[in-house]
Amino acid sequence: MMQESFKNLSILDQPLVLRHLFHPRFEDSSRQARNNRDDIMIPVDGGVQVGASFHFVKNDAPVVLFFHGNGEIVSDYDDIGCLFNDKGLNFFVVDYRGYGRSTGTASVTSMMKDCHSIFNFVRAYMANMKLTGSLCVMGRSLGSASAIELCSNRANDFKCLIIESGFAWVVPLLKKLGINLEAIGFMEEHGFENIDKIKTFLKPFLLIHAQFDHIIPFSDGQALFDACGSSNKTLLEIKGANHNDIFLQGMVTYLAHIKKICLQ
């Protein structure tokens, strides 16, 4: 197993940033169990566990590892997991620390480190469960940082990358969220470097972005798409949609494109 090295992102772990960047909430105790859903706790570091759910359709189907946005939790994806299953895709959605059933407290440093532990866990889970389909990595909004982190040094271990509503640069996003960057001395080079990381990704790539995204503008999605080094890449613009209704507005074509890249 390769040894990961992590950029120091502790400048973003200040309370001023964290209270704007993360919006954790607990899972509703009334959530119903489902026969095709395995609810899992993934050990990440120092006794902390991150909650996840695996929505199963069949052993030889692709597995989509999904990192969600900053205001969502795993259980929000119960119905969407079923829709992925309907398309012949297994769906593995994971939380951040402090979200859903997870223990610990969310931070930028832990999020970026934990995505590697989660990735290793999912690969082992697939082997143990005799899941023979390909592994695909997907990130939405804040989750794009985790997905792009994996594409920068684990690309040999998965088939394709899907980014939905992802950000190219973090400074405009943090300003949009109301963070005073001058107060913490933060500049773009201190951040996630999504635009640089994705340049090295050469495998199939799907970029999905809303036309009228009011949090992360479409231009960010276009920049990520243009920067990606892959010769097999697709840009899907969901017309008329914004950041929070992109799936509802474009569900049919959204799912069709994901099915195509995962099954090709």
Side-chain angles (χ1 to χ4, degrees):
M1 183 182 298
M2 69 171 292
Q3 183 71 31
E4 296 90 11
S5 59
F6 302 99
K7 180 180 179 179
N8 186 349
L9 293 167
S10 59
I11 190 172
L12 292 175
D13 288 336
Q14 303 179 52
L16 175 66
V17 177
L18 296 180
R19 68 171 176 259
H20 289 88
L21 194 59
F22 292 101
H23 299 285
R25 54 188 167 86
F26 295 116
E27 183 180 291
D28 191 329
S29 60
S30 65
R31 185 188 188 199
Q32 299 296 310
R34 296 185 179 180
N35 290 335
N36 70 325
R37 192 188 76 221
D38 185 13
D39 297 323
I40 303 160
M41 298 301 291
I42 301 175
V44 285
D45 184 52
V48 176
Q49 294 184 310
V50 171
S53 288
F54 178 61
H55 298 260
F56 173 77
V57 61
K58 57 182 179 178
N59 286 72
D60 61 350
V63 174
V64 179
L65 170 58
F66 185 87
F67 298 93
H68 60 61
N70 71 339
E72 301 160 353
I73 60 175
V74 159
S75 59
D76 294 339
Y77 282 84
D78 282 354
D79 291 337
I80 292 175
C82 293
L83 294 174
F84 272 71
N85 288 168
D86 289 344
K87 293 297 180 183
L89 304 172
N90 294 315
F91 186 68
F92 201 118
V93 54
V94 297
D95 267 328
Y96 307 110
R97 298 188 187 198
Y99 281 65
R101 292 172 288 113
S102 305
T103 61
T105 302
S107 71
V108 173
T109 297
S110 66
M111 178 183 76
M112 300 306 289
K113 185 176 181 181
D114 289 350
C115 71
H116 292 274
S117 299
I118 290 165
F119 186 79
N120 291 334
F121 180 93
V122 170
R123 294 187 71 210
Y125 181 90
M126 290 176 65
N128 291 337
M129 300 296 290
K130 296 181 171 55
L131 302 175
T132 58
S134 57
L135 177 57
C136 309
V137 172
M138 180 173 181
R140 161 173 158 76
S141 191
L142 181 63
S144 66
S146 296
I148 293 173
E149 167 68 11
L150 291 175
C151 92
S152 69
N153 54 31
R154 301 301 299 270
N156 290 337
D157 298 324
F158 64 93
K159 177 182 179 180
C160 63
L161 175 69
I162 305 164
I163 297 296
E164 187 247 282
S165 308
F167 60 95
W169 301 281
V170 70
V171 163
L173 174 60
L174 296 179
K175 287 182 176 179
K176 175 71 74 171
L177 295 177
I179 298 169
N180 183 349
L181 299 181
E182 289 75 19
I184 63 172
F186 182 86
M187 294 181 288
E188 187 64 44
E189 57 264 32
H190 299 147
F192 297 94
E193 300 181 323
N194 283 356
I195 198 77
D196 294 317
K197 291 175 182 176
I198 207 165
K199 291 177 182 177
T200 64
F201 190 72
L202 305 178
K203 290 187 173 182
F205 175 49
L206 171 63
L207 190 290
I208 308 172
H209 215 101
Q211 180 183 14
F212 299 124
D213 195 312
H214 62 296
I215 297 176
I216 302 172
F218 181 81
S219 57
D220 269 49
Q222 183 72 63
L224 287 173
F225 179 79
D226 292 342
C228 179
S230 175
S231 60
N232 181 1
K233 56 184 181 178
T234 301
L235 173 60
L236 174 61
E237 179 181 11
I238 304 297
K239 299 290 187 181
N242 64 39
H243 191 79
N244 293 324
D245 70 359
I246 181 171
F247 185 79
L248 290 176
Q249 292 282 357
M251 180 170 58
V252 174
T253 186
Y254 182 114
L255 289 171
H257 276 74
I258 292 175
K259 177 180 178 179
K260 181 179 179 181
I261 191 173
C262 292
L263 292 176
Q264 70 179 14

